[in-house]
Amino acid sequence: MLKLTPATQPPKDRASPVIGLAIAGGGPLGAIYELGALQAVDEAIDGIHMHDLDVYVGVSSGSFLTASLANQVTTTQMSRIFINDPNAEFSFQPELFLRPAFREYGDRLRNIPSVVLEILSEAIRHPTRLGQLESIEGVARLIPTGLFDNHMIERFLARVLSRDGRSNDFRTLKAKLRIVAVELDTGQAVRFGEAGLEQVPISRAVQASAALPGLYPPVEINGRLYVDGALRRTLHASVALKEGADLLIGINPLVPYDADGASINGAAQSRMVRGGLPTVLSQTFRALIQSRMQVGMAKYEKDYPAAGMMLVEPDRNDEQMFFTNVFSYASRADLVEHAYATTRADLLASADRLEPFLENYGLGLNRSLLEKPRKFSDALAAEPPYLAPVGNNLARNLDRLERLLRD
C-alpha cells in the first residue's frame, strides 16, 4: 500500500532537495519485508538510491537497516545477508538473536535468598497478607527483564560496520543518522546521533533501539537504561523532518491484519486463534502502532507543510506478511520476493500520482522497469556479489555526475 502526502507549501529554495528515509521496527519479519520494499523503491525512482540519501532515521529492526544504508551498504548487499545468499558478505542466522540471556538469569537467581528472606519476614510480621496479591511483588523481582541476549545484535552489526570504508561512529558518516530508543527511567524518546549522544557507537545504539521489553533486557549506556524505540512511536518520521527533509520516504511493516479481507471462508480467522498468545499479542501491538502512526502522519502534514511524504506499507489483508516463519530460509526468501513484488505493483498502480509527486524533487519514475516482469532474484543478479565500499563511493559519485549533467 502506497500513501502519498504532497507538500502544501513550496519547498525550500536550495540547489538540491534534502531527502530522508525513516524505517520502522517489526522484528526479523519486518526487516525482511523492508528489504524487499526498499529494493523495489530503489530501482523504481530515478535520481536517488536508498544508500545515498541525506537523512536516515531507524527504530528497532529498522535501525539495523538505516545504520547499514548510511554506511553505503546497498539494499542488495543487506538482502544477501538476511536471506543467507551464497554470495552474502556475512553469514546471518536469526537463531543467534534468540540465545538465552544467561547473564540476566544469573542476576535474578542471585536475588533468590533476599527475596525469600523478605517474604518470610513479611509472613511473620503480617501473616494475613500472605495470600494477598501484594505478596507477589517480591517474587516478581525474580522474573528476568528479557528472555534473550541482545549482545549478539551489537556484535553482528559491529562486524558489518568494521569493513574498510564504513564506520561505527555517527560523527564520521557523510549522511545524518538518527537511531531512536526510549529511556526506561523517563519514558522519553532519545535520538542517538544528535549532539550529546553522537559518541555512542552505532552498533550499541541499534542494540538499545531493538531492546523490546520482555524479549531483550534494557541496554545500559553511560549509566542509563534504554529499550525499544517503537514503544513511543513506530516511525519517528518527525526526526527526519526536523533535520530539514524536503521529501521523506517511510517504510512501515507493522499494520494490523484484516482476516475478513483475506479469507471469505473464515480460514484466516481460525488461524489467528490457533496461533495462540503470540499471534494475539502481535495483532494487538500492530493495531496500537497503526493508530498512533495515523495520528502522527496527520500531525506531520500540519507541522511540516513544505515537506512531501511517501509511505510504503503492506496491505492489511496480506496473509503471507503476517504468518511467515522468518526462521525458515525458504520463508525468508519467499517473503522478500513477495514484498518486492507487491511494492512494485503498488508503485505501478500509483504511477499517475507518483510521477508529478516526484517531479517536485527532480526525481523520476522508471515505469518501463515496473512494467517488465522482474523478480527479486533478478535484482540480486544485477549487482556484483560484493560491492566494496570503494566501489560504492565510485557508483555514488557517478550517480551524482549523471544528475548534474541531466540538470
Side-chain angles (χ1 to χ4, degrees):
M1 188 187 315
L2 185 66
K3 298 178 182 177
L4 298 178
T5 306
T8 56
Q9 290 183 4
K12 297 177 182 178
D13 185 16
R14 42 189 161 202
S16 58
V18 175
I19 301 178
L21 174 66
I23 306 182
L29 180 74
I32 298 298
Y33 168 83
E34 288 162 345
L35 284 171
L38 284 168
Q39 184 68 45
V41 172
D42 191 295
E43 296 174 353
I45 299 181
D46 291 331
I48 57 171
H49 289 296
M50 296 299 99
H51 62 280
D52 186 20
L53 303 180
D54 303 295
V55 184
Y56 294 92
V57 179
V59 183
S60 194
S61 60
S63 65
F64 189 103
L65 304 186
T66 53
S68 301
L69 290 169
N71 270 278
Q72 300 178 24
V73 179
T74 69
T75 55
T76 303
Q77 288 173 291
M78 286 191 291
S79 298
R80 286 196 178 106
I81 294 173
F82 272 79
I83 66 175
N84 279 343
D85 186 271
N87 294 316
E89 184 182 351
F90 296 94
S91 175
F92 171 77
Q93 297 293 336
E95 296 82 4
L96 291 177
F97 301 137
L98 295 179
R99 288 184 175 177
F102 292 117
R103 183 184 305 177
E104 174 69 12
Y105 298 165
D107 290 341
R108 298 297 157 175
L109 287 174
R110 284 191 286 272
N111 288 334
I112 290 179
S114 62
V115 170
V116 171
L117 183 62
E118 183 179 305
I119 293 176
L120 290 175
S121 176
E122 181 70 12
I124 293 172
R125 289 185 287 114
H126 307 285
T128 58
R129 297 182 183 177
L130 191 59
Q132 300 176 7
L133 288 177
E134 59 189 84
S135 64
I136 300 177
E137 182 179 353
V139 179
R141 289 167 47 195
L142 301 179
I143 301 175
T145 57
L147 298 176
F148 306 114
D149 185 357
N150 52 8
H151 286 85
M152 297 303 298
I153 297 175
E154 193 276 333
R155 293 169 191 164
F156 183 80
L157 184 57
R159 283 182 58 216
V160 173
L161 302 185
S162 66
R163 284 290 179 94
D164 291 340
R166 300 174 189 164
S167 176
N168 201 17
D169 190 331
F170 287 98
R171 297 165 292 188
T172 61
L173 297 177
K174 293 181 180 179
K176 292 181 180 179
L177 172 64
R178 303 292 182 257
I179 302 298
V180 184
V182 169
E183 187 178 348
L184 186 60
D185 289 337
T186 64
Q188 297 299 311
V190 297
R191 297 167 289 277
F192 292 103
E194 289 187 345
L197 291 170
E198 73 277 21
Q199 78 285 356
V200 176
I202 295 173
S203 57
R204 187 72 168 162
V206 170
Q207 180 189 2
S209 181
L212 182 63
L215 289 182
Y216 296 111
V219 176
E220 183 178 351
I221 299 176
N222 298 331
R224 295 182 177 273
L225 295 174
Y226 297 94
V227 293
D228 197 308
L231 298 183
R232 287 283 299 183
R233 198 172 292 122
T234 183
L235 197 60
H236 289 273
S238 61
V239 177
L241 296 171
K242 288 177 182 177
E243 293 290 348
D246 300 305
L247 169 62
L248 175 69
I249 301 172
I251 311 290
N252 171 45
L254 291 178
V255 296
Y257 177 61
D258 183 2
D260 289 337
S263 176
I264 299 176
N265 59 17
Q269 289 94 325
S270 62
R271 190 173 180 182
M272 290 280 289
V273 176
R274 290 199 311 270
L277 182 60
T279 303
V280 173
L281 289 178
S282 175
Q283 178 74 333
T284 303
F285 182 69
R286 287 165 180 258
L288 291 173
I289 286 292
Q290 182 72 0
S291 175
R292 284 159 53 187
M293 170 169 282
Q294 290 172 347
V295 172
M297 294 299 287
K299 188 174 186 297
Y300 302 153
E301 186 176 359
K302 178 181 177 182
D303 293 346
Y304 303 95
M309 291 174 283
M310 170 181 163
L311 179 63
V312 179
E313 295 179 319
D315 291 332
R316 289 192 56 185
N317 59 1
D318 192 335
E319 186 170 336
Q320 185 170 348
M321 179 61 202
F322 193 82
F323 292 107
T324 291
N325 174 16
V326 295
F327 297 104
S328 160
Y329 165 75
S331 296
R332 294 203 302 274
D334 289 344
L335 179 59
V336 75
E337 190 79 62
H338 174 71
Y340 177 71
T342 55
T343 303
R344 279 171 50 85
D346 287 342
L347 292 168
L348 183 58
S350 305
D352 290 340
R353 294 184 298 119
L354 189 54
E355 282 181 329
F357 176 86
L358 294 173
E359 284 176 4
N360 292 325
Y361 307 98
L363 306 175
L365 183 68
N366 195 333
R367 275 203 193 217
S368 61
L369 182 68
L370 291 173
E371 290 170 348
K372 296 177 182 177
R374 184 177 172 88
K375 296 182 178 180
F376 188 78
S377 54
D378 298 327
L380 293 184
E383 183 178 300
Y386 172 54
L387 193 61
V390 64
N392 283 343
N393 283 326
L394 177 60
R396 180 183 181 130
N397 290 328
L398 288 174
D399 285 341
R400 287 177 173 174
L401 177 60
E402 183 180 352
R403 266 184 277 168
L404 286 173
L405 292 174
R406 185 179 63 244
D407 293 340

